[in-house]
């Protein structure tokens, strides 16, 4: 490069840039970090939603999620194109082919998450009697089962697969069946043994030709025929136990057995492929499931039928839609909270980028002013600054964005990239806009320049009015929700309110803090101390902190305090929800409990009382001629009252439920709140044909059933609605000096295999470990840390921006005897008063935000409850977070005050003369 080019305007600017690259590198790092967060955060949220959805689906029995059609009519029989073996296809081929045709008609997105169709026929139980069976002995029953694809799910353990049955019922030709190994053991039916099956049309012998085991016991297929792998045991009072299991016939036998007058259930289903369902598909799948469930699928009846009815159409249902709607509700709540919290860090990030650009500009000021003095136009200087901003921002965008995609490869939209691009363009825009501040001939005092008084008042009034309008709209709207058919999205109003309120608080701080500071200057000028007076005067006349650093401090402290309050609210809500859902000191879940087992539970040392939930079955509820199944909960009101006495949040059980005789009509019932409202408008309300009287409607949660709609009846009045009162859930009251965990372990031992027990503490731990709650807590912790660090960085950058003025002043004061310690005190005075005011205002805003925004967010989605938890303030948590924010702000000011060393007086005088 020639000497002439090195002394040109561009050459001088270039040399200036090369001489001070640190500020530009720092700004590039800030952009890269902001771009990484902007790209990675949406991906992390999508991954969180998918994990939460997968966990929700895993908690539900596969039978409930599969797209299933069930009917009491016979399936169509006959040959058809299928992948079944030839002999089976001759009977089941038509049904299999029609199921494939139905699958082809499903909407594409839904079809991609469903597997190939399956079908099974299971008959009602028939007694399998033995010659030795007498009065009072165990009753063995089997359900005749026909599965065209049994051999794809099971493998022989002993014996042979059964042969086709072509005999008559009643008749002498034995039916051949296979049993699973566990069912054969419970039925005490050995391979080769013959028993008599008591069909409604007559008796016929049956022989077990073999036993089988499941190839994969966890295969969702078995949830559709659970008694094929595990026999069911029932015992009512002192009556003999009843053991029931599925006995599988050769599937081609159905052509003969279908004429037997035996009630059956035909199930056709498309299994859900859990791993194929992602959070981005939720809204589409909800719509498509609603469409499929609203139509009937016709079936071909070309095969000849006898005296029985063959299904001419079927309707598919799936509990997946309810799970998806609930998952979307949780996702909306998560997005609402994260958007509310993220608006703070985004505001602080913008503030830090503005300050970083100012640092770069101040480092370039001398060279740029020299270039302007040599004839450089404002346009040329803007171009130079804009080019440096682009060089800083664009590579940082690529580095940060690509890192975000590599760290979290989840699929998401381009919204994060757009935000990252805005961060990347910010340095160029800010630096180019700063060119108008170049003034090589004079330095202006901050308090004498800036926005005219009238313009400032107008801007401040506008911000205040917009914030007030947003808050009013938020309160009038109430809890934000997503329609069942609408997509989940971030609520812009909810996300904007915290930042708008922060701007209002900044306006208040910048208007109010000079008032006491002006009074302090008046007091200090009468004293002999130079440092205090000079520091207060400089803080008033030429403050380093303007709107940008004040916004950073206010938002940083407010987000930290708000996050702490939200954490305490969620934690308190989880604990309260766990206590309500357990409903006692211990809640036991098991298979059907016998009277003897209940007596053993009462006899456990440390158990004061138990209250079984005798039934949570379904019964038809008729309202003005319209029937729909409803969950009926049966408890003993006296027993449940004894167990729950003294507990808060339990379901109130009016004594009227158990009063009167068992034959009283109408039957008194307790109803869930939503169901009670619907029943209140009905003129004729009957439950399973019996007239009922709703004693009370309750909106509270219940420990008896997770369903939202239910009716509760006392055990003494339950016989019209159910004949079987076999408890599977037992609530246990523990003595004050006993351990609930120890009682839970003892209760599980009494209940046997498959039993589980919850205490309020164990359930609270489980709820806290859910993806939604865990993700929220991690996000809030990250928000607290990041905003605190960004606040400290903003303070550092603010003092770095004001460093040139100090480099002119402090060396001159040092010649007059100012010591190093006093220099630090002067630096602290530059930003101390406004930071103190901003911290106080930020803490107040952090306490106000929960009151404003939490009523609009479904916090119950994080707690497992159905009602909003009250705002809970943990003084230790909030105090610790606030102390940490103050400490971080103080450390940031101390670090900034320590940056750089002394500047000699001669150099300071030369700088002052040059300016």
């Amino acid at each position: 490069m020639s000497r002439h080019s090195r002394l040109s305007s561009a050459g001088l600017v270039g040399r200036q840039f090369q001489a001070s690259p640190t500020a530009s590198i720092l700004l590039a790092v800030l952009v890269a970090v902001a771009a990484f967060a902007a790209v990675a955060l949406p991906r992390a949220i999508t991954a969180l939603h998918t994990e939460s959805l997968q966990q929700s689906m895993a908690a539900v029995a596969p039978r409930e999620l599969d797209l299933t059609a069930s009917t009491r009519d016979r399936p169509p029989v006959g040959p058809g194109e299928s992948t079944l073996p030839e002999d089976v296809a001759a009977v089941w081929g038509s049904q299999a082919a029609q199921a494939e045709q139905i699958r082809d008609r499903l909407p594409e997105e839904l079809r991609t998450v469903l597997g190939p169709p399956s079908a099974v026929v299971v008959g009602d139980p028939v007694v399998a009697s033995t010659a030795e069976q007498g009065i009072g002995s165990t009753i063995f029953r089997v359900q005749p089962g026909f599965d065209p694809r049994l051999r794809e799910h099971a493998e022989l353990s002993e014996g042979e697969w059964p042969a086709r049955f072509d005999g008559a019922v009643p008749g002498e030709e034995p039916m051949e069946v296979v049993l699973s190994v566990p069912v054969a053991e419970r039925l005490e039916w050995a391979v080769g043994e013959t028993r008599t099956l008591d069909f409604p049309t007559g008796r016929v012998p049956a022989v077990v030709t073999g036993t089988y085991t499941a190839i994969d016991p966890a295969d969702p297929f078995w949830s559709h025929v659970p008694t094929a792998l595990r026999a069911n045991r029932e015992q009512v009072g002192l009556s003999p136990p009843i053991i029931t299991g599925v006995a599988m016939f050769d599937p081609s036998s159905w052509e003969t057995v279908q004429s037997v007058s035996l009630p059956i259930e035909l199930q056709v289903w498309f299994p859900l492929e859990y791993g194929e369902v992602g959070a981005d598909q939720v809204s589409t799948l909800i719509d498509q499931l609603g469409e499929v469930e609203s139509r009937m699928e016709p079936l071909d009846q070309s095969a000849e039928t006898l005296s029985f009815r063959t299904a001419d159409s079927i309707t598919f249902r799936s509990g997946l839609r309810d799970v998806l709607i609930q998952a979307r509700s949780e996702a909306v709540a998560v997005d609402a909270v994260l958007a509310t919290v993220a608006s703070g860090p985004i505001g602080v990030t913008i503030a830090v980028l503005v300050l970083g650009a100012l640092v770069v500009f101040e480092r370039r000021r001398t060279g740029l002013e020299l270039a302007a003095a040599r004839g450089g136009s404002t346009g040329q200087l803007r171009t130079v600054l804009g080019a440096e901003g682009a060089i800083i921002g664009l590579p940082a965008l690529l580095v940060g964005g690509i890192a975000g995609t590599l760290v979290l490869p989840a699929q998401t939209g381009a919204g994060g990239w757009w935000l990252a691009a805005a961060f990347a363009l910010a340095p160029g825009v800010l630096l180019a806009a700063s060119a108008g501040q170049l003034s090589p001939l004079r330095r202006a005092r901050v308090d004498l320049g800036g926005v005219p008084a009238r313009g400032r008042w107008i801007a401040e009034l506008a911000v205040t009015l917009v914030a007030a309008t947003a808050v009013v709209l938020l309160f009038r709207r109430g809890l934000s929700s997503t329609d069942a058919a609408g997509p989940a999205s971030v609520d812009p109003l909810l996300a904007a309110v915290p930042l708008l309120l922060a701007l209002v608080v900044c306006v208040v701080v910048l208007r109010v803090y000079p008032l006491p500071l002006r009074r302090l200057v008046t007091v200090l000028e009468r004293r002999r101390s130079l440092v205090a007076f000079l520091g207060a005067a400089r803080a008033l006349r030429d403050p380093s902190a303007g709107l940008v650093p004040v916004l950073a401090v206010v938002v940083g402290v407010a987000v930290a305090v708000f996050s702490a309050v939200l954490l305490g609210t969620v934690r308190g809500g989880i604990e309260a929800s766990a206590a309500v859902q357990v409903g006692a000191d211990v809640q036991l879940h098991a298979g059907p409990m016998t009277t003897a087992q209940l007596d053993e539970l009462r006899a456990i040392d440390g158990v004061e009382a138990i209250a079984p939930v005798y039934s949570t079955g379904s019964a038809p509820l008729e309202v003005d001629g319209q029937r729909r199944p409803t969950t009926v909960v049966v408890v003993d009101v006296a027993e449940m009252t004894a167990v729950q006495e003294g507990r808060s949040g339990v379901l109130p059980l009016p004594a009227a439920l158990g009063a009167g005789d068992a034959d009283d009509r109408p039957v008194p019932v307790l109803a869930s709140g939503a169901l009670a409202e619907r029943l209140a408008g009905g003129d004729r309300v009957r439950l399973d044909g019996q007239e009922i009287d709703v004693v009370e409607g309750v909106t509270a949660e219940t420990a008896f059933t997770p369903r939202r709609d239910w009716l509760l009846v006392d055990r003494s009045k339950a016989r019209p609605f159910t004949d079987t009162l076999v408890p599977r859930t037992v609530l246990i009251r523990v003595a004050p000096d006993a351990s609930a965990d120890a009682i839970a372990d003892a209760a599980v031992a009494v209940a046997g295999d498959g039993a589980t027990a919850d205490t309020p503490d164990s359930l609270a731990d489980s709820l806290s470990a859910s993806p939604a709650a865990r993700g929220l807590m991690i996000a809030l912790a990250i928000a607290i840390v990041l905003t605190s660090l960004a606040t400290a960085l903003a303070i550092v950058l603010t003092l770095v921006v004001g460093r040139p003025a100090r480099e002119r002043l402090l060396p001159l004061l040092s010649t007059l005897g100012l010591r190093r310690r006093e220099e630090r005190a002067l630096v602290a005075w530059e930003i101390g008063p406004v930071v103190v005011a901003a911290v106080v205002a930020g803490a107040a805003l952090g306490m106000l935000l929960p009151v404003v925004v939490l009523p609009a967010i479904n916090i119950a989605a994080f707690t497992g409850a159905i009602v909003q938890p009250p705002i809970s303030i943990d003084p230790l948590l909030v105090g610790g977070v606030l102390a940490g924010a103050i400490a971080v702000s103080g450390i940031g000011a101390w670090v900034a005050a320590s940056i750089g060393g002394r500047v000699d007086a001669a150099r300071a005088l030369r700088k002052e003369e040059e300016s």
Side-chain angles (χ1 to χ4, degrees), residues 185-199:
E185 292 175 352
R186 292 297 300 271
L187 293 176
E188 302 175 13
W189 198 346
V191 174
E193 180 185 350
T194 300
R195 295 186 181 181
T196 302
L197 301 185
D198 294 331
F199 285 97

Side-chain angles (χ1 to χ4, degrees), residues 730-747:
V730 181
L731 275 61
I732 303 174
R733 185 183 184 93
V734 176
D737 58 344
S739 167
D741 292 332
I743 299 297
D745 293 339

Side-chain angles (χ1 to χ4, degrees), residues 580-750:
V580 170
Q581 290 184 45
V582 173
D585 297 318
V586 177
Q587 185 180 106
L588 175 67
H589 304 274
M593 301 282 290
T594 65
T595 303
Q597 287 175 310
L598 295 180
D599 291 338
E600 287 185 59
L601 290 177
R602 292 187 182 93
I604 294 175
D605 188 23
V607 171
E608 287 191 344
I610 69 169
V613 179
Y614 290 96
S615 177
T616 55
S618 179
L621 177 65
E622 180 181 347
V623 182
D624 295 338
Q626 296 184 350
R627 294 165 62 92
R628 58 177 295 179
T630 301
T631 299
V632 178
V633 179
V634 180
V635 300
D636 186 303
V637 172
E639 290 178 345
M640 195 61 66
T641 301
V643 167
Q644 296 187 327
E645 185 179 5
R647 298 188 67 87
S648 60
V650 298
L651 190 70
L653 298 176
L657 292 174
D661 298 329
D663 295 331
D664 286 350
R665 298 292 184 271
V667 178
V669 299
L670 191 68
S672 62
L675 185 57
E677 291 180 7
R678 291 200 298 269
L679 298 182
D683 295 328
R684 186 173 184 271
V685 179
R686 292 180 177 273
L687 181 64
D688 203 8
Q690 302 292 326
E691 187 178 356
I692 60 174
D693 174 28
V694 178
V695 175
E696 188 175 345
V698 211
T699 56
E701 290 181 273
T702 170
F704 313 139
T705 176
R707 299 187 181 276
R708 298 292 189 258
D709 289 349
W710 47 264
L711 293 172
L712 184 143
V713 62
D714 185 72
R715 181 174 62 157
S716 62
K717 312 292 178 61
R719 283 299 173 187
F721 315 123
T722 177
D723 293 327
T724 305
L725 298 178
V726 181
R728 298 173 184 268
T729 300
V730 181
L731 275 61
I732 303 174
R733 185 183 184 93
V734 176
D737 58 344
S739 167
D741 292 332
I743 299 297
D745 293 339
V748 167
V750 169

